[in-house]
Amino acid sequence: MPADEVSPAIGGSVSRMESASRAGPRRPFSHEHFASIVAPLFESLVSVARKVLKSDDMARDAVQEAALSLWLEPEWPPNPRAWLIRTVVHRSLHLARTRARRQKYEARACRERLETCDRDDPSQLLESQDLFRELVEALEDITPEHRHILVLKVIEEWDYESIAARLQIPIGTVRSRLNRSRRAFRKSVERILPEECAQRVKHKKQAP
């Protein structure tokens, strides 16, 4: 590409360089000389950046930023083409990592908003409260002995050794009593929540 036929992308870079040159020291080369070097490489540099970023707009941004960095170098590198390719690759990788972090953050924020919406849904809240009351009723329906050991294990998350020490019974007795407590609680739940239990059994049978 002749130096006097500069692409719009290169033209934008040159405009930014002119602004930078006014604020910094005088360059050892002219705008025309710079454009004559960079313009023929521009599309091939965009192609390199596009392979990393998978985005034409971001690839052109990476190349323009690399061109600006070259312009701001105090001395012209011995091999401008190799310098630009290396800088474009590094800049593209940086932009790709930044985009990945942003997308990860946005996805997490979206999930958190959805979870908050579900928690704030009045109907969901009422259903949860109803279910909690029914489970408490099922728990109160079993014997105190079964309820106590089930609460220690499931709700308070005690291990077998701690339960055995608290109740002063052997660990084998803890295991057998927990099995009986779970069966008693399951029967109580099935009595109080017959429809929910029936649907759960149905889903299990349909699961592959």
Side-chain angles (χ1 to χ4, degrees):
M1 180 186 296
D4 57 349
E5 297 181 7
V6 180
S7 71
I10 290 291
S13 296
V14 170
S15 297
R16 294 166 66 185
M17 293 162 193
E18 290 174 346
S19 300
S21 64
R22 286 195 292 270
R26 182 178 179 82
R27 297 294 101 191
F29 39 82
S30 66
H31 296 115
E32 292 76 13
H33 177 63
F34 183 87
S36 69
I37 298 296
V38 176
L41 302 174
F42 190 82
E43 290 303 324
S44 61
L45 292 172
V46 170
S47 179
V48 170
R50 190 185 297 117
K51 290 178 181 178
V52 177
L53 294 164
K54 313 300 181 185
S55 166
D56 190 71
D57 290 339
M58 292 185 69
R60 292 181 181 278
D61 287 344
V63 173
Q64 289 189 29
E65 290 174 11
L68 179 59
S69 296
L70 176 60
W71 174 258
L72 295 175
E73 284 290 302
E75 295 183 3
W76 190 259
N79 189 338
R81 182 177 183 277
W83 190 98
L84 280 169
I85 291 175
R86 183 172 63 252
T87 304
V88 165
V89 170
H90 289 168
R91 185 59 188 166
S92 298
L93 291 171
H94 172 73
L95 290 174
R97 288 192 293 268
T98 300
R99 180 180 58 187
R101 287 194 296 268
R102 184 179 66 251
Q103 290 174 343
K104 183 178 179 180
Y105 170 79
E106 291 173 350
R108 184 172 65 248
C110 182
R111 288 195 301 269
E112 290 174 353
R113 283 196 299 270
L114 289 175
E115 290 172 359
T116 301
C117 289
D118 288 341
R119 289 195 299 268
D120 293 342
D121 184 352
S123 62
Q124 292 282 346
L125 183 60
L126 287 173
E127 288 180 7
S128 298
Q129 291 174 343
D130 290 342
L131 179 60
F132 178 76
R133 283 194 296 268
E134 288 164 341
L135 290 175
V136 169
E137 182 182 346
L139 189 61
E140 291 177 346
D141 190 53
I142 63 179
T143 65
E145 180 185 69
H146 289 159
R147 181 168 60 249
H148 187 200
I149 197 168
L150 200 60
V151 167
L152 290 176
K153 179 61 180 174
V154 177
I155 299 178
E156 298 187 15
E157 298 182 344
W158 286 28
D159 56 31
Y160 291 110
E161 290 78 6
S162 300
I163 296 174
R166 171 67 178 273
L167 301 181
Q168 297 183 352
I169 57 177
I171 292 180
T173 303
V174 171
R175 295 180 187 276
S176 60
R177 190 176 296 180
L178 271 172
N179 288 333
R180 292 194 299 272
S181 300
R182 290 190 178 102
R183 286 197 298 268
F185 181 66
R186 189 180 303 116
K187 290 180 180 179
S188 181
V189 171
E190 290 172 353
R191 180 183 61 79
I192 295 174
L193 300 170
E195 294 182 2
E196 286 78 358
C197 293
Q199 287 184 357
R200 185 175 179 182
V201 172
K202 181 179 179 182
H203 289 321
K204 281 187 175 181
K205 289 181 178 179
Q206 290 176 347

